[in-house]
Amino acid sequence: MPDSEPRQRVDLEDLALHEGATVLLRRALAALAPGDWLEVHGDSPELAGHLAAWCRKEGHSCETKQGVPGMYRVQAGSGTPIIVTSETQIAEAADPAWGLAPRGARIESGGPEFAFTLRQKRDVWARELDAIYTQAVANQWSASRDVPWSQLPKLSSEVEGAVAQIMTFLTENEFAALYVPARFIPRIHPHYREVVEVLAMQVVDEARHAEAFTRRAEAGGAQLGTTAVSGQLSLKTLLEEPDFTTAAFLLCVMGEGTFLTLLKFLCERSPDPVTAALMTLAHRDEARHVAFGTEHLRYVFEREPNLRATLAAAVERRSRMLASISGLSPYVHDALVIFAGGGLSTGQVRAGAQHVAALHREMDRARRERLQALGFEPEVASRMSSYHTKNFM
Ligand SMILES: [Fe+2]
Ligand SMILES: [Fe+2]
């Protein structure tokens, strides 16, 4: 039986409800159990009527204290049930009814359900999320401020054309790398906010890469190059991958992993300091994207070791879908040869072609190493690497 003696007293003096008295009332009532009484003093005009109406709306009951003007008794109602989630404990499954509430908040029950389809921890989680996010925030750069544009020399038209073609190719890949995480973000339950934060930074990184690479293509006076159907088809399969873990594997581990080798190559063979600086900055960002993908896959493989076989099959399936593509687009291949060789003389082309062949071997080696680090058997890793799209991403 609740005690009819008031548990709390609040003196509103002449403060009216519309002047903020509800703040004091709510605080006092929050400390009470349902059924407990609060004694309210106050002499603002019309307090009796306003207090009664407010109590009705908030689910409390109110009465005047007989014979004492300016004194009221409010009995605390049961209020809206509250769901409490833990800040530190990350749930294995997140409830759609938690909605957009930050983890650790108290949540009024009865809220709308959101269609977050990625709401199991296993679906999205990775270790090192805090470290990856902190690094991403600390290492943001600006294409305007942090690139030595004024040091861009006048290159031969062949080399400048090759740079523009490579930048065109990089930019279309950047768009793919932007759209893939962007389409998954709204599906991830906010309970796993660290994943959302890391992917949001990834989207920002890719937007900056696309901006910077396009700007480099235009800076030397050459026009943007040609986009091949083969490249677009390959990227389309990435954009259409419906499963988050498979998409993270194909994009972040296989694709961006291969791009790490490409960006390093472009930096080392760069004909000018602007391109070299851009490649270095983008490489640092891509290393984080690869780290996220790798850590997510590691987390999943610890729980589902057999998923390795499924992903090996996914790489093979993608390769079959792209079977009509004989290899890297000739626009990109030729541009890489001219870029690496430094020009179009036979000697330069021979040297360039050797460098590009070495690039392919290094991409394959690094992919196999990355796959083996994720627990794939060496033969499986070799087969998967050889099936990887010839368009790098
Ligand atoms: Fe990128
Ligand atoms: Fe990336």
Side-chain angles (χ1 to χ4, degrees):
M1 233 342 242
D3 197 342
S4 69
E5 276 302 300
R7 294 273 165 150
Q8 289 259 1
R9 281 186 177 78
V10 59
D11 191 354
L12 302 176
E13 301 174 10
D14 61 349
L15 190 68
L17 258 61
H18 69 270
E19 290 175 318
T22 52
V23 174
L24 301 176
L25 290 168
R26 258 196 292 270
R27 284 180 73 88
L29 283 159
L32 301 184
D36 283 348
W37 289 91
L38 169 71
E39 191 170 280
V40 179
H41 300 243
D43 51 19
S44 70
E46 299 178 67
L47 180 61
H50 290 168
L51 185 61
W54 181 81
C55 284
R56 242 189 334 273
K57 179 170 80 69
E58 300 278 315
H60 310 297
S61 48
C62 174
E63 55 187 44
T64 46
K65 194 159 180 186
Q66 290 302 323
V68 189
M71 194 172 291
Y72 309 87
R73 282 159 52 87
V74 175
Q75 189 174 31
S78 54
T80 309
I82 295 286
I83 305 162
V84 180
T85 59
S86 158
E87 219 281 302
T88 45
Q89 280 289 315
I90 296 161
E92 288 298 323
D95 191 326
W98 296 347
L100 296 165
R103 196 169 63 229
R106 292 153 45 81
I107 307 161
E108 271 190 7
S109 65
E113 293 216 350
F114 289 78
F116 299 121
T117 49
L118 294 168
R119 54 190 179 82
Q120 308 281 327
K121 190 176 179 190
R122 171 260 172 258
D123 291 341
V124 292
W125 200 249
R127 286 203 191 84
E128 308 298 334
L129 289 167
D130 285 340
I132 294 171
Y133 180 71
T134 305
Q135 246 185 53
V137 173
N139 287 340
Q140 291 297 296
W141 50 276
S142 153
S144 299
R145 196 188 51 218
D146 301 317
V147 179
W149 295 102
S150 63
Q151 293 171 31
L152 187 65
K154 182 89 189 128
L155 301 174
S156 70
S157 63
E158 305 85 61
V159 173
E160 189 56 46
V163 171
Q165 174 59 59
I166 292 166
M167 295 300 140
T168 306
F169 169 75
L170 290 179
T171 302
E172 68 192 64
N173 282 275
E174 298 302 339
F175 280 132
L178 183 159
Y179 280 109
V180 171
R183 64 192 277 270
F184 282 108
I185 288 173
R187 303 184 201 173
I188 301 174
H189 195 297
H191 187 74
Y192 307 114
R193 68 173 165 79
E194 288 87 343
V195 179
V196 176
E197 289 163 356
V198 163
L199 292 179
M201 294 308 293
Q202 203 161 317
V203 168
V204 174
D205 290 341
E206 307 303 10
R208 190 177 49 243
H209 297 174
E211 174 214 351
F213 294 159
T214 311
R215 192 161 159 182
R216 172 62 191 91
E218 290 164 345
Q223 296 197 327
L224 281 167
T226 307
T227 287
V229 171
S230 58
Q232 303 252 25
L233 283 171
S234 178
L235 295 176
K236 190 162 178 280
T237 61
L238 267 188
L239 255 64
E240 290 174 351
E241 174 52 54
D243 176 64
F244 179 77
T245 297
T246 308
F249 178 70
L250 292 176
L251 174 72
C252 303
V253 179
M254 298 297 278
E256 290 174 317
T258 301
F259 260 63
L260 283 181
T261 311
L262 176 64
L263 294 170
K264 185 162 174 281
F265 173 89
L266 293 173
C267 177
E268 286 166 0
R269 304 275 160 210
S270 174
D272 66 85
V274 172
T275 307
L278 284 172
M279 297 306 119
T280 304
L281 290 164
H283 186 281
R284 198 170 65 189
D285 296 338
E286 294 307 332
R288 282 196 309 273
H289 308 168
V290 174
F292 167 72
T294 305
E295 289 299 336
H296 172 58
L297 267 300
R298 205 165 267 154
Y299 185 84
V300 175
F301 288 155
E302 279 166 13
R303 283 150 187 82
E304 298 171 25
N306 293 336
L307 192 77
R308 287 187 184 88
T310 311
L311 290 177
V315 172
E316 203 172 323
R317 194 171 58 241
R318 185 172 178 222
S319 158
R320 273 203 307 276
M321 277 165 72
L322 299 170
S324 56
I325 303 167
S326 55
L328 178 63
S329 121
Y331 310 109
V332 179
H333 172 268
D334 295 0
L336 286 173
V337 169
I338 298 166
F339 184 97
L344 273 175
S345 76
T346 49
Q348 286 169 322
V349 169
R350 181 178 293 115
Q354 281 167 359
H355 291 314
V356 172
L359 167 67
H360 283 281
R361 286 195 298 275
E362 175 56 17
M363 284 173 164
D364 176 56
R365 188 204 61 76
R367 267 197 306 269
R368 284 186 281 117
E369 186 179 87
R370 211 165 278 124
L371 289 167
Q372 288 187 47
L374 277 173
F376 288 91
E377 294 298 327
E379 323 80 75
V380 180
S382 294
R383 203 167 61 239
M384 289 169 80
S385 178
S386 69
Y387 277 134
H388 181 63
T389 171
K390 302 297 174 276
N391 283 284
F392 304 154
M393 185 63 91

